[in-house]
Amino acid sequence: MLGEADRLQRHFEEAATVDGLTGLRNRRWLDDAFTRQLDRATRTGRPLSVLMIDIDHFKSINDRFGHITGDHALVVIAQTLASCLRPQDLLARFGGEEFTVLLPGLETASAVSVAERLRAAVAKLPPLTGATATAGTGDHTITVSIGVATAMAATTVAALLARADAALYRAKGSGRNRVESETGARG
């Protein structure tokens, strides 16, 4: 009986930290993992970079092709991002159409290179096509914008995420389908 209770407890804990749509870890898990990774980076003096990734014009995907197609796009993008990362990198769905990647041991220049590789992989995905209920026919190329920030010394999770988010909004403001770092380095 105790074994079954333990198994159920583990199952519910796992379910609480996994995004049901994409199968990626979720924001709840990320908050805990991020804190542990940032503490480790601070202790060891190694860099930790974070990528904030946003699907460009995601609302128009849902509006033109429907929410089922939008959900499919989220799953395909999640799989594409995961396939381009190292085993030690941590990928999570941050919420909505945003993803976050933690890159232990990578300084800004290397993180920008990873971000550019991710951006290019998503841009190579086949475009969404077909008739829609609201906007007729047409194609929609899927792209992402990415912001990069790096912790080189003690900082907080909130501060690092805010810096990556600010870089993400600069990338979106510069035309989307771009990588921007907090230092101005671009992919």
Side-chain angles (χ1 to χ4, degrees), residues 101-126:
V101 179
L102 299 178
L103 302 169
L106 293 188
E107 76 293 336
T108 302
S110 296
V112 167
S113 293
V114 170
E116 179 55 32
R117 184 173 69 238
L118 296 174
R119 186 208 59 76
V122 170
K124 289 179 185 174
L125 290 172

Side-chain angles (χ1 to χ4, degrees), residues 99-178:
F99 300 89
T100 301
V101 179
L102 299 178
L103 302 169
L106 293 188
E107 76 293 336
T108 302
S110 296
V112 167
S113 293
V114 170
E116 179 55 32
R117 184 173 69 238
L118 296 174
R119 186 208 59 76
V122 170
K124 289 179 185 174
L125 290 172
L128 300 171
T129 61
T132 68
T134 60
T137 60
D139 293 351
H140 183 94
T141 301
I142 301 171
T143 61
V144 295
S145 296
I146 305 175
V148 180
T150 303
M152 297 299 285
T155 189
T156 66
V157 170
L160 189 56
L161 285 172
R163 293 184 352 237
D165 199 47
L168 168 63
Y169 279 90
R170 281 194 307 280
K172 292 178 94 55
S174 296
R176 302 181 193 266
N177 193 25
R178 299 180 190 275

Side-chain angles (χ1 to χ4, degrees), residues 19-33:
D19 177 60
L21 177 64
T22 63
L24 296 179
R25 295 298 185 155
N26 63 20
R27 173 90 184 259
R28 180 178 181 175
W29 174 86
L30 178 72
D31 290 342
D32 180 54

